[in-house]
Amino acid sequence: MPVIESRPVGDRVVVAVRGELDLDAGQAFQRALRRALACSVRGVDLDLGAVAFCDCSALNILISLRHRALAQGKTIVVTAAAPVAERLLALTGTRPLFSADAEAGAKPE
Protein backbone atom coordinates (compact mmCIF):
# COMPACT_ATOMS: atom_id res chain seq x y z
CA MET A 1 0.00 0.00 0.00
CA PRO A 2 1.35 3.45 -0.80
CA VAL A 3 1.87 6.13 1.80
CA ILE A 4 -0.21 9.17 0.87
CA GLU A 5 0.24 12.44 2.74
CA SER A 6 -1.76 15.62 2.17
CA ARG A 7 -1.24 19.12 3.49
CA PRO A 8 -2.74 22.50 2.61
CA VAL A 9 -0.37 25.06 1.14
CA GLY A 10 -2.08 28.36 0.50
CA ASP A 11 -5.15 27.80 -1.63
CA ARG A 12 -3.96 24.41 -2.90
CA VAL A 13 -3.44 20.99 -1.31
CA VAL A 14 -0.14 19.16 -1.79
CA VAL A 15 -0.41 15.37 -1.99
CA ALA A 16 2.83 13.37 -1.73
CA VAL A 17 2.81 9.67 -2.61
CA ARG A 18 5.44 7.04 -1.74
CA GLY A 19 5.31 3.41 -2.81
CA GLU A 20 3.38 1.59 -5.51
CA LEU A 21 0.33 2.87 -7.35
CA ASP A 22 -1.43 -0.14 -8.81
CA LEU A 23 -4.92 -1.63 -8.95
CA ASP A 24 -4.74 -2.71 -5.29
CA ALA A 25 -3.89 0.83 -4.16
CA GLY A 26 -6.47 2.45 -6.42
CA GLN A 27 -9.29 3.01 -3.93
CA ALA A 28 -7.05 4.56 -1.28
CA PHE A 29 -5.34 6.74 -3.91
CA GLN A 30 -8.66 7.90 -5.35
CA ARG A 31 -10.14 8.68 -1.92
CA ALA A 32 -7.08 10.68 -0.90
CA LEU A 33 -7.09 12.70 -4.11
CA ARG A 34 -10.82 13.42 -3.98
CA ARG A 35 -10.52 14.51 -0.35
CA ALA A 36 -7.61 16.80 -1.25
CA LEU A 37 -9.53 18.30 -4.18
CA ALA A 38 -12.57 18.94 -1.97
CA CYS A 39 -10.40 20.70 0.63
CA SER A 40 -8.63 22.93 -1.88
CA VAL A 41 -9.65 26.28 -3.26
CA ARG A 42 -7.66 26.12 -6.51
CA GLY A 43 -6.58 22.49 -6.87
CA VAL A 44 -4.05 19.83 -6.04
CA ASP A 45 -0.28 19.70 -6.46
CA LEU A 46 0.77 16.07 -6.75
CA ASP A 47 4.24 14.89 -5.78
CA LEU A 48 4.91 11.46 -7.32
CA GLY A 49 8.66 11.73 -6.81
CA ALA A 50 8.82 8.71 -4.49
CA VAL A 51 6.55 6.39 -6.50
CA ALA A 52 8.26 3.04 -7.14
CA PHE A 53 5.60 1.63 -9.50
CA CYS A 54 2.72 3.22 -11.39
CA ASP A 55 0.31 1.51 -13.75
CA CYS A 56 -2.60 2.52 -15.95
CA SER A 57 -5.11 2.19 -13.11
CA ALA A 58 -3.38 5.10 -11.36
CA LEU A 59 -3.36 7.06 -14.62
CA ASN A 60 -7.10 6.51 -15.01
CA ILE A 61 -7.62 7.88 -11.49
CA LEU A 62 -5.55 10.96 -12.36
CA ILE A 63 -7.48 11.60 -15.57
CA SER A 64 -10.81 11.19 -13.76
CA LEU A 65 -9.64 13.57 -11.03
CA ARG A 66 -8.57 16.10 -13.66
CA HIS A 67 -12.06 16.07 -15.19
CA ARG A 68 -13.60 16.54 -11.75
CA ALA A 69 -11.18 19.38 -10.97
CA LEU A 70 -11.82 21.20 -14.23
CA ALA A 71 -15.59 21.00 -13.65
CA GLN A 72 -14.96 22.79 -10.33
CA GLY A 73 -12.63 25.39 -11.85
CA LYS A 74 -9.60 23.78 -10.20
CA THR A 75 -6.39 22.19 -11.50
CA ILE A 76 -4.27 19.10 -10.90
CA VAL A 77 -0.53 19.65 -11.32
CA VAL A 78 2.10 16.92 -11.08
CA THR A 79 4.98 18.85 -9.51
CA ALA A 80 7.40 15.90 -9.27
CA ALA A 81 7.41 12.44 -10.79
CA ALA A 82 9.70 9.47 -10.29
CA PRO A 83 11.07 8.03 -13.54
CA VAL A 84 8.42 5.29 -13.61
CA ALA A 85 5.56 7.80 -13.27
CA GLU A 86 7.16 10.24 -15.70
CA ARG A 87 7.56 7.44 -18.25
CA LEU A 88 3.89 6.45 -17.98
CA LEU A 89 2.77 10.05 -18.46
CA ALA A 90 5.14 10.52 -21.38
CA LEU A 91 4.26 7.25 -23.16
CA THR A 92 0.54 7.97 -22.91
CA GLY A 93 0.91 11.59 -23.99
CA THR A 94 -0.82 12.78 -20.82
CA ARG A 95 2.06 14.68 -19.20
CA PRO A 96 0.92 18.05 -20.60
CA LEU A 97 -2.49 17.58 -18.95
CA PHE A 98 -0.87 17.82 -15.52
CA SER A 99 1.60 20.66 -16.03
CA ALA A 100 1.30 24.10 -14.47
CA ASP A 101 1.66 25.76 -17.89
CA ALA A 102 -1.16 23.75 -19.48
CA GLU A 103 -3.46 24.13 -16.49
CA ALA A 104 -3.10 27.91 -16.31
CA GLY A 105 -5.34 28.33 -19.33
CA ALA A 106 -7.45 25.19 -18.91
CA LYS A 107 -11.19 25.35 -19.29
CA PRO A 108 -13.69 22.67 -18.32
CA GLU A 109 -14.17 20.13 -21.08
Side-chain angles (χ1 to χ4, degrees):
M1 232 4 128
V3 175
I4 304 169
E5 299 173 343
S6 299
R7 69 182 189 286
V9 176
D11 55 4
R12 300 184 66 80
V13 174
V14 174
V15 177
V17 183
R18 291 189 317 268
E20 296 185 358
L21 290 175
D22 56 16
L23 189 59
D24 291 335
Q27 287 185 352
F29 185 48
Q30 186 173 47
R31 275 193 308 271
L33 291 177
R34 285 185 176 182
R35 201 168 26 249
L37 184 63
C39 292
S40 73
V41 174
R42 293 189 53 235
V44 175
D45 292 332
L46 189 55
D47 179 351
L48 302 176
V51 170
F53 178 82
C54 187
D55 67 11
C56 290
S57 64
L59 179 60
N60 286 332
I61 290 168
L62 290 177
I63 291 170
S64 175
L65 184 74
R66 180 179 184 269
H67 287 290
R68 182 180 290 253
L70 290 176
Q72 297 175 20
K74 299 177 183 182
T75 60
I76 306 300
V77 177
V78 174
T79 58
V84 66
E86 191 65 55
R87 180 171 166 82
L88 179 63
L89 294 170
L91 287 174
T92 59
T94 56
R95 185 62 174 110
L97 299 177
F98 302 101
S99 72
D101 294 336
E103 295 293 356
K107 302 226 183 317
E109 296 173 356

